[in-house]
């Protein structure tokens, strides 16, 4: 993680300094440079613990930035500051430092002496961004009332940052946001939470999905389809003979997980729904990992002007579709449904 540091102060003779935090170091463990006083009067600025330095001479301190410092060649040799000999630490001279953890810092000598008066400033790399796009597909209006999408990511410093939110109706939509490396680097994944609210008439409880898509060089692109959360069975009715205007079908269903009855609902298919040779309707259920999931399906109604013989059957899931046709019941006007 990058630690921002800026300040001015005194670097005392034979003392060590931590440029990442801007404090004098009491030991070798947290130090980047040492203002070393040599026997015979010599002096040198020595990099410590893997830090590296580059002497730039007297240059314009204010305009130096990350790109300038990143282009330099650093080494681990001390920079001489002898008062009667070679001195690359004269007043106004600038030193670039790559600290022990790889951060880039510019340091300027404001007054040379046994104690150096210095100022320093860390130069972070430009913040990088990755785009995030979460696309939520559409669902039937009779089924879904609302989607709520919330996107966050955890940076390397363990803090959580929002990167996109959205609320949509059954038609779905797109959430767009950005992920940044400003807190120590780009995360490996994002966290996407999608909540689905169903229409009250379905009897279904809301469903929440937690996804962790990868963050790659192009960012995050995630497609969420309602089928990831909603189990559907399509009912197909072959209308032979053709339905009459007053005919209708009352479709009722109850979802079962093992031996327990769950959500249920119903739908009436009336004249406009039954005008073609084939009528279709989807029934939906919440997600469930049960290996014994099933649905109790009941169909009543009126067909060809007479009361339909009740259809009642338990259907094992998963089942993608059920097809029905009408058969005469005996010699009278009544019909019954037959699954095939």
């Amino acid at each position: 993680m990058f630690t921002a540091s800026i300040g001015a102060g005194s670097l005392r003779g034979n003392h060590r300094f931590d440029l990442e935090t801007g404090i004098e170091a009491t030991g070798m463990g947290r130090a980047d440079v040492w203002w070393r006083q040599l026997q015979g009067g010599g002096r040198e600025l020595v990099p410590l613990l893997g830090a590296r330095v580059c002497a730039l001479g007297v240059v314009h301190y204010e305009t130096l930035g990350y790109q300038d410092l990143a282009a330099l060649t650093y080494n681990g040799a001390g920079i001489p500051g002898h008062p009667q000999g070679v001195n690359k630490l004269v007043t106004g001279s600038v030193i670039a430092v790559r600290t022990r953890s790889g951060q880039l810092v510019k340091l300027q000598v404001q007054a040379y002496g046994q104690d150096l008066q210095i100022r320093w400033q860390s130069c972070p790399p430009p913040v990088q961004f990755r785009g995030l796009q979460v696309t939520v597909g559409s669902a039937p209006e009779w089924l879904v009332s609302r989607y709520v999408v919330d996107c966050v990511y955890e940076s390397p410093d363990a803090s959580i940052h929002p990167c996109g939110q959205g609320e949509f109706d059954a038609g779905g939509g797109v959430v767009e946001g950005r992920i940044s490396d400003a807190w120590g680097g780009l995360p490996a994944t994002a966290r996407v939470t999608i909540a689905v609210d169903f229409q009250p008439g379905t009897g279904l409880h809301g469903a929440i999905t937690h996804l962790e898509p990868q963050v790659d060089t192009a960012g995050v692109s995630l497609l969420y389809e309602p089928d990831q959360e909603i189990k559907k069975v399509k009912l197909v009715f072959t209308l032979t003979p053709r339905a009459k205007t007053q005919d209708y079908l009352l479709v009722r269903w109850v979802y079962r997980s093992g031996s327990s009855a769950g959500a249920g609902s119903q739908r009436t298919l009336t004249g406009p729904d039954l005008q073609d040779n084939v009528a279709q309707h989807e029934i939906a259920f919440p997600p469930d990992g049960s290996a014994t999931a099933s649905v109790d399906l009941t169909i009543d109604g009126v067909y060809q002007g007479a009361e339909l013989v009740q259809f009642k059957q338990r259907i094992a899931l998963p089942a993608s579709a059920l097809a029905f046709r009408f058969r005469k019941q005996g010699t009278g006007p009544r019909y019954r449904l037959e699954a095939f």
Side-chain angles (χ1 to χ4, degrees), residues 134-149:
V134 177
T135 303
V136 177
S138 62
E141 292 184 2
W142 63 266
L143 177 62
V144 169
S145 62
R146 184 178 67 155
Y147 295 108
V148 179
V149 183

Side-chain angles (χ1 to χ4, degrees), residues 251-255 264-267 281 283-285 295-297:
V251 183
R252 291 174 291 168
W253 62 92
V254 176
Y255 181 75
S265 189
Q266 65 180 38
R267 176 76 184 277
H281 177 62
I283 57 178
F285 318 100
V295 59
D296 289 340
L297 180 64

Side-chain angles (χ1 to χ4, degrees), residues 1 3 5 11 15-34 47-51 99-101 103:
M1 176 183 173
T3 305
S5 177
L11 175 50
H15 283 70
R16 299 170 179 85
F17 201 79
D18 179 358
L19 287 166
E20 294 183 0
T21 59
I23 59 174
E24 186 176 279
T26 55
M28 294 286 287
R30 291 183 60 86
D32 296 299
V33 293
W34 174 22
L48 299 173
L49 301 175
T99 69
R100 62 193 185 279
S101 67
Q103 300 180 30

Side-chain angles (χ1 to χ4, degrees), residues 1 26 38 42 45-46 55 72 78 141 192 219 230 274 288-289 298 311 332:
M1 176 183 173
T26 55
L38 302 170
L45 187 68
V46 180
L72 299 173
E141 292 184 2
V192 179
I230 305 165
L274 304 175
D288 187 350
T298 304
F311 175 90

Side-chain angles (χ1 to χ4, degrees), residues 111-129:
Y112 172 81
Q114 183 174 356
D115 296 339
L116 291 178
Q117 300 304 312
I118 61 172
R119 63 171 174 167
W120 68 92
Q121 181 178 343
S122 57
C123 298
V127 175
Q128 297 184 73
F129 294 96

Side-chain angles (χ1 to χ4, degrees), residues 290-328:
S290 171
T292 58
S294 61
V295 59
D296 289 340
L297 180 64
T298 304
I299 304 175
D300 295 287
V302 170
Y303 188 67
Q304 296 300 303
E307 184 180 355
L308 186 70
V309 176
Q310 186 183 72
F311 175 90
K312 194 166 187 178
Q313 185 174 322
R314 179 167 293 177
I315 301 162
L317 297 176
S320 58
L322 288 175
F324 299 90
R325 59 192 169 197
F326 292 88
R327 292 291 191 193
K328 261 299 190 69

